[in-house]
Amino acid sequence: KGQMIAKAVGLSSSTAPNVFDATAGLGGDAFVLASLGCPVTMTERVPEVHALLTDGLCLAHEWGSENDQSLVAILKRMALVGSDAAKYMQTIEDAKKPEVVYLDPMFPQRTKGARVKKEMQVFHQLIGKDSDANLLLQIALECAQKRVVVKRPRIAPYLAGLEPNYKLEGKSNRYDVYLCH
């Protein structure tokens, strides 16, 4: 619970907020949050990545059913929605809006230094640039009840040039936290 992502979404000993992961990718961050007790709804708009995530969740559930019921309990807190995040957020009823919207758009291309790992290079080719990340932030700010959390490279500019209420910084990444209402 001491991880930056847990602090960023507002997880505490008494609170496990419901989180909407608008850019789920392969579900790594969503799994961490679900393992800490947060109910997590995810979307992934790239069909190939959505299919990989769906398959991974199914395989994990099958394996967990036979070998690890605690894994099944974590997976039950994760729901994958087959929709574009922006469209989905705009259709959520007020009473069902998530406490936290989590955004992890594709990081900007590196201009110097070491290349990203081979898997990430393939991911970059498959997904491309998240050219609508700024718009997604604006929609997320209207959707979230309590906060929007944006994962960024430590030295990257803020999404939409919008300075967060606060940020949590690590060696290579940071979490920009925008408080709502």
Side-chain angles (χ1 to χ4, degrees):
K1 291 187 177 186
Q3 296 180 56
M4 280 197 312
I5 190 172
K7 291 176 184 176
V9 300
L11 187 76
S12 70
S13 57
S14 61
T15 306
N18 63 42
V19 178
F20 174 60
D21 184 346
T23 51
L26 296 176
D29 289 336
F31 184 82
V32 168
L33 292 170
S35 71
L36 294 170
C38 296
V40 182
T41 302
M42 307 171 285
T43 57
E44 176 50 58
R45 68 177 167 190
V46 177
E48 297 86 351
V49 178
H50 187 277
L52 287 170
L53 179 53
T54 300
D55 188 52
L57 290 170
C58 289
L59 290 171
H61 199 311
E62 286 175 24
W63 187 88
S65 295
E66 295 175 15
N67 301 293
D68 187 352
Q69 288 303 310
S70 63
L71 174 60
V72 173
I74 292 168
L75 295 170
K76 284 183 178 177
R77 287 191 286 274
M78 299 173 70
L80 179 60
V81 176
S83 177
D84 174 78
K87 291 177 186 172
Y88 179 77
M89 284 189 283
Q90 292 172 323
T91 63
I92 300 173
E93 300 170 28
D94 285 346
K96 295 183 179 181
K97 288 189 175 186
E99 293 172 276
V100 179
V101 175
Y102 180 77
L103 302 175
D104 182 7
M106 289 300 292
F107 285 5
Q109 293 287 358
R110 292 182 178 183
T111 55
K112 58 184 176 182
R115 297 182 79 166
V116 294
K117 293 179 182 175
K118 192 75 161 172
E119 310 88 65
M120 223 38 212
Q121 289 178 29
V122 172
F123 217 59
H124 275 277
Q125 289 174 350
L126 187 60
I127 293 177
K129 295 180 179 177
D130 274 333
S131 56
D132 64 346
N134 290 341
L135 175 63
L136 199 56
L137 173 60
Q138 297 300 328
I139 295 169
L141 289 168
E142 294 170 14
C143 179
Q145 290 182 30
K146 294 186 177 176
R147 64 179 67 193
V148 174
V149 176
V150 182
K151 184 178 180 182
R152 302 289 288 157
R154 190 178 55 80
I155 60 173
Y158 300 126
L159 277 188
L162 188 59
E163 190 168 339
N165 293 88
Y166 68 94
K167 58 188 173 186
L168 301 169
E169 287 192 28
K171 290 181 182 175
S172 57
N173 298 330
R174 73 168 193 263
Y175 293 91
D176 296 338
V177 180
Y178 301 87
L179 302 176
C180 302
H181 308 95

